């Protein structure tokens, strides 16, 4: 089947991205330069996302969530990433991480945590893991549609165009089972290192597995697309028991 020129260009870029071992390969330059590129991409995507997803107006609860984010960020040892936690007004439990630091968590997911600091910390730590381990970045960079848009317009316009089409769906999907379970383990360790209750994550997942919150609309994609809650609990328990 004949391809249009832009499809062909997109295919080439997508292929190049798919062949890159990681984003450093693709962006080139020093580690510091690629970190800057990662942060810029995340900021462009966050700005584009904010045009589409409303935030909860700042209040004591949103400040509490942001403060938990800063507390955890102070204990992430891998590299200096500008983590920022924002609370969205989505109706379903949801959380999302963008490259370089932005984390979005929905109000209903915070409610499922019953505003327990360390349960919220586990949820945020899980998203931070996707950033630190570059799960989000690698997925985005390998997306041919975004590569094409970035080659045609500024980062911000490309991010916006992408999010209005394929991007939103891509960002909403869970990562591989391995990445998700790894993010849970990272989160538990981070909460523990920060001086919080490391068992809070297991407790939260167990509570959700037992059906807590079904009355408050749990049937969201966020939980449905992650590995089964039972498996996540078993994974954390196995790690804990060594
Ligand atoms: Zn995840």
């Amino acid at each position: 089947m004949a391809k249009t020129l832009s499809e062909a260009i997109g295919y080439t870029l997508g292929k190049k991205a798919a062949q890159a071992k990681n984003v450093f390969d693709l962006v080139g330059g020093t580690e510091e330069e690629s970190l800057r590129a990662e942060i810029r991409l995340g900021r462009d995507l966050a700005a584009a996302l904010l045009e589409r997803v409303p935030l909860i107006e700042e209040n004591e609860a949103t400040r509490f969530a942001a403060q938990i984010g800063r507390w955890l960020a102070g204990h992430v040892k891998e590299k200096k990433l500008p983590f920022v936690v924002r609370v969205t007004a989505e109706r379903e439990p949801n959380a999302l991480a963008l490259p370089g630091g932005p984390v979005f968590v929905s109000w209903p997911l915070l409610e499922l945590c019953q505003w327990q600091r360390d349960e919220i910390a586990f949820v945020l730590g899980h998203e931070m893991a996707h950033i630190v381990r570059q799960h989000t970045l690698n997925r985005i960079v390998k997306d041919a549609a975004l590569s094409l848009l970035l080659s045609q317009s500024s980062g911000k316009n490309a991010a916006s165009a992408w999010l209005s089409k394929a991007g939103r769906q891509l960002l909403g999907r869970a990562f591989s089972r391995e990445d998700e379970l790894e993010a849970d383990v990272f989160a538990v360790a981070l909460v523990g290192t920060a001086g919080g209750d490391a068992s809070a994550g297991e407790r939260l997942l167990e509570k959700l597995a037992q059906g807590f919150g079904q009355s408050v609309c749990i049937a969201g994609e966020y939980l449905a697309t992650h590995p089964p809650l039972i498996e996540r609990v078993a994974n954390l328990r196995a790690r804990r028991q060594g």
Side-chain angles (χ1 to χ4, degrees):
M1 200 170 26
K3 280 198 176 95
T4 64
L5 184 62
S6 63
E7 273 170 351
I9 295 169
Y11 177 72
T12 310
L13 278 169
K15 209 167 153 195
K16 189 177 154 213
Q19 282 165 351
K21 219 173 31 260
N22 54 44
V23 72
F24 295 140
D25 271 11
L26 190 72
V27 178
T30 65
E31 195 164 327
E32 201 189 312
E33 280 164 349
S34 45
L35 180 63
R36 265 207 303 275
E38 175 182 352
I39 291 168
R40 197 169 53 232
L41 176 63
R43 281 197 182 140
D44 287 342
L45 287 166
L49 195 71
L50 284 169
E51 289 169 5
R52 290 166 179 80
V53 178
L55 291 184
I56 297 281
E57 208 174 309
E58 193 184 310
N59 60 37
E60 211 175 308
T62 65
R63 279 194 291 274
F64 181 53
Q67 188 194 337
I68 295 171
R70 284 193 296 275
W71 169 55
L72 289 178
H75 295 273
V76 173
K77 57 178 177 293
E78 274 76 4
K79 49 182 171 169
K80 288 274 164 247
L81 288 164
F83 292 106
V84 180
V85 172
R86 296 185 181 90
V87 181
T88 70
E90 294 165 285
R91 289 215 208 118
E92 296 204 327
N94 199 14
L96 183 81
L98 293 175
V103 172
F104 293 85
V105 58
S106 75
W107 185 269
L109 185 54
L110 295 173
E111 282 187 325
L112 286 176
C113 296
Q114 297 176 292
W115 299 101
Q116 300 293 308
R117 183 194 69 174
D118 296 357
E119 293 188 10
I120 294 173
F122 171 76
V123 167
L124 299 180
H126 176 107
E127 295 307 317
M128 288 166 148
H130 287 318
I131 297 171
V132 170
R133 299 276 187 253
Q134 300 191 317
H135 298 155
T136 316
L137 181 65
N138 285 326
R139 167 189 275 181
I140 288 174
V141 163
K142 286 178 182 179
D143 185 76
L146 180 62
S147 307
L148 176 61
L149 288 164
L150 283 170
S151 71
Q152 290 169 340
S153 60
S154 77
K156 204 167 173 190
N157 290 335
S160 187
W162 184 68
L163 270 180
S164 68
K165 296 198 189 98
R168 204 49 197 287
Q169 219 189 349
L170 184 94
L171 288 177
R173 280 206 307 269
F175 298 96
S176 71
R177 163 172 268 104
E178 292 70 35
D179 287 356
E180 291 299 343
L181 296 179
E182 184 193 359
D184 281 346
V185 171
F186 179 101
V188 164
L190 179 57
V191 174
T193 305
D197 176 5
S199 66
E202 200 178 312
R203 205 166 52 233
L204 171 69
L205 294 174
E206 218 157 28
K207 198 165 69 180
L208 296 175
Q210 283 161 7
F212 169 82
Q214 259 160 17
S215 55
V216 281
C217 174
I218 186 92
E221 237 182 279
Y222 170 73
L223 289 167
T225 57
H226 276 66
L229 289 161
I230 303 283
E231 189 185 340
R232 294 173 70 186
V233 171
N235 174 53
L236 290 182
R237 191 169 295 151
R239 297 280 180 150
R240 178 162 52 81
Q241 291 165 347

